[in-house]
Amino acid sequence: MKLSFFPVLGVLGAIVVLWYLAVAPMNIRVALDVAERAGAEVVPKGSVVRRDVSVWRLMAQNSGHVAQGYALDRPRLPTPQQVGQELWKTTGKMVQRGRTWSKRSLIYHGWITLQSTFWGFLLGTSVGILGAVLITHLRVMELSLMPWAIISQTIPIVALAPMIIVLSSQVGIEERGVPKAIISAYLCYFPVLVGMVKGLRSPAPAQLDLLKTYNASQFQVFRLLRLPASVPYLFTTLKVGVAAALVGTIVGELPTGAISGLGARILIGDQFGTPLAIWSALFAAAILAGALVTLLDVAQRLVQRRMGGRT
Amino acid sequence: MLTTDEIDDVTERDPSPDVVIAADGLSLTFQTNDGEVHALKDVSLSIERGDFVSFIGPSGCGKTTFLRVLADLEKPTGGAITVNGVSPEEARKSRAYGYVFQAAGLYPWRTIAGNVRLPLEIMGYSKSEMAERVSKVMELVDLSGFEQKFPWQLSGGMQQRASIARALAFDADILLMDEPFGALDEIVRDHLNEQLLALWARTGKTIGFVTHSIPEAVYLSTKIVVMSPRPGRITDVIDSSLPKERPLGIRDTPEFLEIAHRVRDGLRAGHAYD
């Protein structure tokens, strides 16, 4: 545990450093535009002219204005600090002011997304596990179900999402959460299905032979051998699945014209040209995903300790 | 499935009630991409109640296959075999034998007691009887006190003993063991062989034991079946003249060495074919 802490910090540090370095070339054009409008001397003059000059040249010729790129209102690439401030402004500060559930609060939007993710995850893992059980027990199912499961994943979810929304409103589902959960489940079930098929098939032939000598029923083989043997696969699979469910929900929020949820925040941020809103929503989504995966990791440790794991 | 009448018929036809396993002209041919593989060819053998029978031979001689046919884990393609007077399938369904595999194959997620309890759970024993039987067989294999340990906390030899306990937990009167000590070092192996003999004396079970160690086969058995490969067949059946009481030192006696010599000759004769 302690040893793995330093490499993680090291990578994080390197990312932050690279990010800060990248801000200068990314924002130099915007910074020069702002400076020129404020009446400062800029080489060459005119935004259109500068479009043909490389960012490196602009930085070299206007070294005095590079620093401005780190403090723009609408930067192309905000600094980590700006993202942090925006995150704080839309979360912690909102809580302090008693406006936790305001439409501008990321906690509110995160909660909306989390709910859909939860239902999508529940639906997706149920379908995935049920499918895996059928596939491992019935040869017919393996031949009929598996190809469709694979084909289902070749269709881009972005193309499918609007159709799911249209179809669900056609059958009279007004609740926005439902199509979102379905889209989320659509992305989530596949890794669970594949992982669980592998897990349920993981017992060695000798272990199956052993149960045969006891004349165990198929259900007993499933309950006493296949299911417990699949537990390590189950958790790995759930971690992938929950991340996929979150992505699915956010994708589901993009084309729905939704006004709440992290996906909606990203879309609105894009439409209104506020990159800070996009970046903070992105980070909120990443933090949410990290929290969900960590939660499952803790659950895995608890379960595996009960199942005689060495940790 | 046989009807009760048919089972009665088979029992009546049985020449000796003490014959537990009777194979007659047994053959098993696997179809592979390279053509037919004769795992067993024309194997005839009878094993009596209380026998300790070792099957010895080089790999591919069909010794494991024969054990697996006995246990109904493989279906023979020719000949006849009965276990307790009925077909292997019937015998398996009436839980007539415990099978010990080369790898202990304990479930890592169950404690040692939980592993030994596994067959009892499947067979639907009551809770109190399960506890009683588990503690009895744990004592039998000298593992008392390790009930709550997980398999990875035990040495290889102890794990194998636990797997023997698991096979003994229910009332099977036949114990089939497929190279159970093959992966263990010689010292542990000697110790377990001694314990196995003591256990056999105490329980009076019929034991089928696959090995490729000549000393192990001679030390343990009342009957040694020497087999040879391609096709898998029996080349010699030796009834041991050694007394039932066998200290480890018996392995240096002339009688022991004589039997070992005959086994070696049998193995060599089998190899002369290819």
Side-chain angles (χ1 to χ4, degrees), chain B:
Chain B
M1 250 201 220
L2 293 173
T3 64
T4 341
D5 283 348
E6 281 169 326
I7 294 171
D8 283 347
D9 283 351
V10 177
T11 336
E12 272 165 36
R13 265 187 270 122
D14 205 346
S16 152
D18 256 7
V19 171
V20 180
I21 294 154
D24 186 21
L26 198 68
S27 298
L28 200 164
T29 311
F30 291 113
Q31 303 291 342
T32 70
N33 290 336
D34 300 333
E36 295 187 338
V37 173
H38 297 278
L40 290 175
K41 190 164 191 191
D42 201 21
V43 170
S44 299
L45 182 71
S46 82
I47 296 172
E48 281 167 30
R49 193 168 306 284
D51 264 348
F52 195 126
V53 185
S54 283
F55 299 88
I56 189 166
S59 33
C61 73
K63 53 194 192 301
T64 295
T65 309
F66 183 71
L67 218 62
R68 288 176 64 83
V69 169
L70 267 182
D72 189 37
L73 297 174
E74 306 282 356
K75 297 269 183 232
T77 48
I81 181 163
T82 60
V83 178
N84 284 338
V86 295
S87 72
E89 191 183 349
E90 284 289 294
R92 175 173 69 78
K93 287 187 172 159
S94 64
R95 284 137 181 179
Y97 42 77
Y99 202 105
V100 179
F101 292 86
Q102 181 166 13
L106 301 174
Y107 290 1
W109 57 84
R110 281 178 169 244
T111 60
I112 297 303
N115 270 287
V116 174
R117 206 189 304 121
L118 178 71
L120 304 176
E121 279 177 30
I122 290 171
M123 295 170 194
Y125 283 79
S126 72
K127 249 191 165 135
S128 58
E129 191 166 2
M130 281 200 257
E132 193 184 313
R133 279 169 180 267
V134 168
S135 86
K136 196 183 87 188
V137 288
M138 290 287 281
E139 200 190 314
L140 211 56
V141 298
D142 204 12
L143 274 180
S144 297
F146 291 92
E147 284 85 353
Q148 296 315 312
K149 292 269 186 279
F150 281 99
W152 63 271
Q153 295 171 301
L154 266 60
S155 69
M158 288 164 97
Q159 289 187 24
Q160 198 52 275
R161 262 150 56 200
S163 91
I164 293 169
R166 183 175 58 185
L168 293 172
F170 54 105
D171 286 323
D173 53 358
I174 304 171
L175 192 57
L176 302 175
M177 308 176 88
D178 184 6
E179 290 188 47
F181 309 139
L184 304 176
D185 69 65
E186 190 120 7
I187 300 164
V188 176
R189 198 175 189 160
D190 279 352
H191 183 62
L192 289 182
N193 280 340
E194 234 182 333
Q195 282 189 322
L196 182 58
L197 272 187
L199 197 141
W200 172 62
R202 274 173 75 181
T203 57
K205 287 186 193 291
T206 310
I207 299 183
F209 189 94
V210 166
T211 180
H212 46 224
S213 154
I214 297 174
E216 191 172 65
V218 179
Y219 176 66
L220 291 172
S221 320
T222 56
K223 192 194 274 274
I224 302 160
V225 178
V226 184
M227 299 181 74
S228 83
R230 286 176 294 273
R233 64 200 183 283
I234 295 175
T235 48
D236 196 6
V237 178
I238 304 160
D239 285 304
S240 175
S241 53
L242 295 177
K244 228 184 159 182
E245 197 69 31
R246 298 178 187 180
L248 276 174
I250 204 168
R251 294 182 298 186
D252 299 321
T253 62
E255 293 94 326
F256 186 97
L257 296 173
E258 196 185 318
I259 298 170
H261 190 78
R262 191 172 152 194
V263 174
R264 194 167 288 118
D265 277 349
L267 290 172
R268 209 171 283 143
H271 266 295
Y273 273 85
D274 40 5

Side-chain angles (χ1 to χ4, degrees), chain A residues 55-107:
Chain A
V55 287
W56 314 111
R57 183 117 175 251
L58 288 175
M59 280 165 71
Q61 287 173 337
N62 303 281
S63 50
H65 295 298
V66 170
Q68 274 182 289
Y70 287 84
L72 296 168
D73 282 342
R74 293 186 169 191
R76 285 279 152 78
L77 176 67
T79 65
Q81 198 197 351
Q82 284 177 310
V83 173
Q85 280 168 344
E86 176 72 12
L87 260 178
W88 171 248
K89 221 170 78 189
T90 48
T91 55
K93 214 164 164 193
M94 289 285 194
V95 176
Q96 280 179 348
R97 291 221 216 106
R99 297 182 55 210
T100 312
W101 303 108
S102 144
K103 291 264 186 290
R104 292 204 52 219
S105 157
L106 276 184
I107 296 177

Side-chain angles (χ1 to χ4, degrees), chain A residues 55-224:
Chain A
V55 287
W56 314 111
R57 183 117 175 251
L58 288 175
M59 280 165 71
Q61 287 173 337
N62 303 281
S63 50
H65 295 298
V66 170
Q68 274 182 289
Y70 287 84
L72 296 168
D73 282 342
R74 293 186 169 191
R76 285 279 152 78
L77 176 67
T79 65
Q81 198 197 351
Q82 284 177 310
V83 173
Q85 280 168 344
E86 176 72 12
L87 260 178
W88 171 248
K89 221 170 78 189
T90 48
T91 55
K93 214 164 164 193
M94 289 285 194
V95 176
Q96 280 179 348
R97 291 221 216 106
R99 297 182 55 210
T100 312
W101 303 108
S102 144
K103 291 264 186 290
R104 292 204 52 219
S105 157
L106 276 184
I107 296 177
Y108 162 75
H109 293 288
W111 173 241
I112 297 287
T113 300
L114 185 65
Q115 279 176 314
S116 284
T117 302
F118 174 76
W119 289 113
F121 178 62
L122 202 69
L123 184 63
T125 47
S126 307
V127 169
I129 292 172
L130 193 72
V133 170
L134 289 175
I135 283 172
T136 41
H137 285 87
L138 298 168
R139 178 101 183 109
V140 181
M141 282 296 171
E142 185 181 5
L143 295 174
S144 58
L145 219 58
M146 208 55 186
W148 289 107
I150 292 164
I151 288 169
S152 78
Q153 297 303 300
T154 62
I155 302 167
I157 188 68
V158 191
L160 209 59
M163 281 194 271
I164 293 176
I165 291 154
V166 169
L167 289 178
S168 63
S169 79
Q170 278 299 309
V171 295
I173 299 166
E174 292 302 325
E175 178 65 45
R176 279 197 189 281
V178 175
K180 265 167 40 176
I182 292 174
I183 294 163
S184 163
Y186 187 88
L187 275 194
C188 163
Y189 89 94
F190 188 70
V192 176
L193 177 82
V194 173
M196 280 306 279
V197 167
K198 203 166 158 56
L200 290 172
R201 284 195 178 144
S202 65
Q207 292 196 310
L208 292 166
D209 280 346
L210 179 72
L211 290 187
K212 195 177 171 191
T213 66
Y214 301 150
N215 196 22
S217 68
Q218 207 176 14
F219 178 68
Q220 284 173 326
V221 174
F222 174 73
R223 187 171 61 87
L224 295 168

